[in-house]
Amino acid sequence: MARTDGRVGVALIGLGRAGHFHMASIAAIPDQAQLRWVVDVDESRAEGIAKQESCRWASSLAPALADPGVHVVIIASTTDTHFQFIMQSLSADKSVLTEKPISHELKEVEEAVQLATSKSLPLYCGYQRRCDRNFRVLKKHVDDGSVGELKVIKCCSRDNPVPPMEYLRTSGGIFHDMLIHDFDMLNWLSGGQEPESVMSVGHAYNREIEKMGDIDTVAVILKYPSGLVAMVDTCRDATYGYDQRIEAFGSKGMLTAKNELTSTVELATSEGHLMPCAQWSFPQRYKEAYTTELKEFITMVHAGRNSDQHRLEQEAMLRHPSIVRITVAAELSWKLGRSVDLRDLEGLLAEKDEGERGVDAETWSTGGSNSDLGELPH
C-alpha cells in the first residue's frame, strides 16, 4: 500500500474547517503521509490550497481515485455527501478515513460497512475522542476493573461557539452531529454494549435552530440489558468554552475525566480563586487527538491487510450500524416524546415513513407530544 518512498499517498476531499484540521495533521507526519490531492466543489479554494500545499487539485473525486499513488481518501466534506464518497473510494480500493457520520441512514451505514468488509479495506470513522489521551487513561482503568462492574456512565458535551447556521442546515441535526460522538464513547467504554431503550428530552433556545426543526439542548438516558445506565447532556453553546467530561461509576469506585482548561495554573488571592478558561472550541481541545487519529490510521494502512492493526479495525468498524441505530432511536424518542425500545426501532421507522405521508406528519416532524411535555426532545 505504501509508496516507494515509504509514505502513504492521501487525497483529501472537503476543504472547510474539518479539512484544514486534517491538512495540519498530515503536515505533522511528513515522513508517513503525503498529501497528493485536494478536492472541493469550490475550484478557486481547491486551486489555491493545492498551490499552497504543492499538490494536485480537482473539483470532483474521480481524478484522485484514478491516481495509483493515492492509497487513502480522507473525507471531510459536508455530512450529506459522506456516504457517496465513501462508496466511491472503497469501490476504487482506497482505504477511507471519514468524518462522522458515515450516513444519516442506517441502511447506508450497513452497506458501507459490508463493502469495506468484503474488500478488506479500512473504513475508519473519525470519532476522535477515542484518541484523546485523557479518555484513553479512563478507558484503561475501566478495562482493568479499577471501578469494578460499571453501573453508571455520564457524558457532558457542550459546544462553543454555536456553529454557523449554514453548517447546521446540512449537519443532520444535533443527534447525528453531536450526540453520535457520545454514543460512540458509551459503546467504547461499555465494551460494545448496546442499550435496550433510550429516552431523550430537549429544547431549542436558538430560534434559527428551531426553524430548522432541530433543537440545541438535549439530555438522553440509555438503559442497558446488563443494568448499566448512561446519561448524556449536550448543548450547542457554552459561554465559558468547550466542555467535555466523562464520569464512570462502578461497584468499586468512580473515574472522572475533567474538562481541559487552557492551563493548569490557578491564581489564589485574598479575593478568591481564579481558574483558567476552558479551551475555546474543539480544534483546540482535540488538536493532539486529530493527529494521533491520523498517525494510527496511516500506521494501520502501512501495516497491511495481514496485520493485527488491520484485523482490529475490521472488527471495530462493525460497531458503526449500532451507533447509528442508537442515534436514530434517540432522535425518535425526542420526536415521539417517549422512551424508545431498540427492539421496536424498525417498526417505528416504518410508522414514521407512513406518518410523514399522512395525517400524523406534524407529530413526526416537529416533536409531536414533546411540546406538551416541556419540549421533551433533544
Side-chain angles (χ1 to χ4, degrees):
M1 288 290 282
R3 287 167 51 80
T4 54
D5 65 2
R7 294 185 294 173
V8 168
V10 178
L12 171 64
I13 181 163
L15 302 176
R17 189 168 58 166
H20 278 79
F21 304 151
H22 288 296
M23 279 193 289
S25 296
I26 294 168
I29 52 171
D31 295 337
Q32 300 175 53
Q34 178 193 34
L35 183 61
R36 290 180 63 88
W37 287 84
V38 290
V39 181
D40 198 279
V41 292
D42 185 332
E43 293 188 357
S44 61
R45 176 189 292 177
E47 185 176 14
I49 290 177
K51 201 171 292 185
Q52 169 189 314
E53 300 294 327
S54 300
C55 65
R56 303 174 73 180
W57 68 275
S59 58
S60 70
L61 187 55
L65 295 181
D67 182 352
V70 169
H71 312 104
V72 165
V73 176
I74 297 178
I75 299 170
S77 52
T78 56
T79 58
D80 56 344
T81 64
H82 289 182
F83 175 70
Q84 69 181 84
F85 293 140
I86 289 169
M87 298 302 282
Q88 289 175 21
S89 301
L90 291 173
S91 297
D93 292 319
K94 310 297 185 183
S95 299
V96 173
L97 190 163
T98 180
E99 284 298 307
K100 57 79 200 156
I102 293 171
S103 170
H104 300 139
E105 301 296 327
L106 179 57
K107 288 182 180 179
E108 291 183 345
V109 176
E110 293 172 340
E111 186 179 342
V113 171
Q114 288 169 1
L115 180 59
T117 301
S118 68
K119 285 182 164 286
S120 191
L121 286 168
L123 172 54
Y124 193 104
C125 192
Y127 295 112
Q128 82 283 352
R129 295 184 198 176
R130 290 188 177 223
C131 299
D132 177 76
R133 56 193 177 90
N134 299 310
F135 295 155
R136 283 187 166 182
V137 172
L138 187 145
K139 165 68 171 170
K140 184 177 186 304
H141 278 298
V142 168
D143 291 347
D144 289 346
S146 300
V147 294
E149 182 182 9
L150 279 179
K151 295 182 177 181
V152 177
I153 303 175
K154 294 181 182 179
C155 294
C156 173
S157 300
R158 299 171 189 162
D159 207 351
N160 178 65
V162 177
M165 294 299 125
E166 181 182 359
Y167 167 79
L168 292 181
R169 289 187 183 94
T170 61
S171 70
I174 195 170
F175 287 94
H176 288 275
D177 186 48
M178 285 189 69
L179 282 153
I180 197 168
H181 277 290
D182 298 286
F183 298 149
D184 182 69
M185 287 297 289
L186 294 176
N187 173 280
W188 188 45
L189 295 174
S190 70
Q193 294 185 51
E194 182 171 292
E196 58 188 8
S197 64
V198 57
M199 178 66 186
S200 307
V201 297
H203 185 74
Y205 289 93
N206 185 300
R207 296 305 97 181
E208 288 300 309
I209 291 176
E210 182 181 37
K211 290 176 184 176
M212 299 175 196
D214 197 10
I215 50 181
D216 52 51
T217 305
V218 189
V220 183
I221 298 178
L222 306 95
K223 177 69 170 62
Y224 294 76
S226 66
L228 174 67
V229 176
M231 288 162 270
V232 181
D233 81 78
T234 190
C235 186
R236 283 290 188 186
D237 68 310
T239 58
Y240 54 87
Y242 197 71
D243 190 359
Q244 302 268 286
R245 289 170 278 142
I246 296 178
E247 178 182 297
F249 172 73
S251 57
K252 293 182 180 179
M254 180 180 73
L255 290 161
T256 303
K258 298 180 180 179
N259 195 33
E260 277 203 2
L261 306 178
T262 51
S263 77
T264 61
V265 178
E266 177 182 349
L267 172 64
T269 70
S270 59
E271 296 180 353
H273 290 251
L274 180 63
M275 299 289 293
C277 296
Q279 300 281 2
W280 172 248
S281 194
F282 71 94
Q284 294 77 33
R285 172 65 178 83
Y286 290 116
K287 181 179 180 180
E288 291 182 9
Y290 276 112
T291 302
T292 299
E293 175 185 70
L294 181 62
K295 281 182 178 179
E296 293 182 354
F297 177 72
I298 295 298
T299 298
M300 175 183 59
V301 173
H302 265 301
R305 295 178 178 178
N306 296 321
S307 65
D308 287 340
Q309 297 100 311
H310 182 82
R311 177 183 57 79
L312 290 172
E313 178 52 31
Q314 289 284 292
E315 294 174 0
M317 72 182 182
L318 297 177
R319 79 185 188 277
H320 294 315
S322 175
I323 303 303
V324 174
R325 274 175 54 82
I326 296 166
T327 305
V328 170
E331 186 174 42
L332 274 178
S333 172
W334 161 56
K335 290 185 174 182
L336 293 174
R338 64 174 177 82
S339 176
V340 168
D341 190 314
L342 266 76
R343 293 172 298 183
D344 301 332
L345 183 60
E346 281 70 23
L348 287 170
L349 289 174
E351 290 178 19
K352 176 178 178 291
D353 290 340
E354 292 178 8
E356 289 178 340
R357 291 191 296 268
V359 295
D360 294 329
E362 184 176 351
T363 297
W364 283 103
S365 63
T366 63
S369 60
N370 279 313
S371 58
D372 298 326
L373 296 171
E375 297 290 335
L376 270 183
H378 109 16

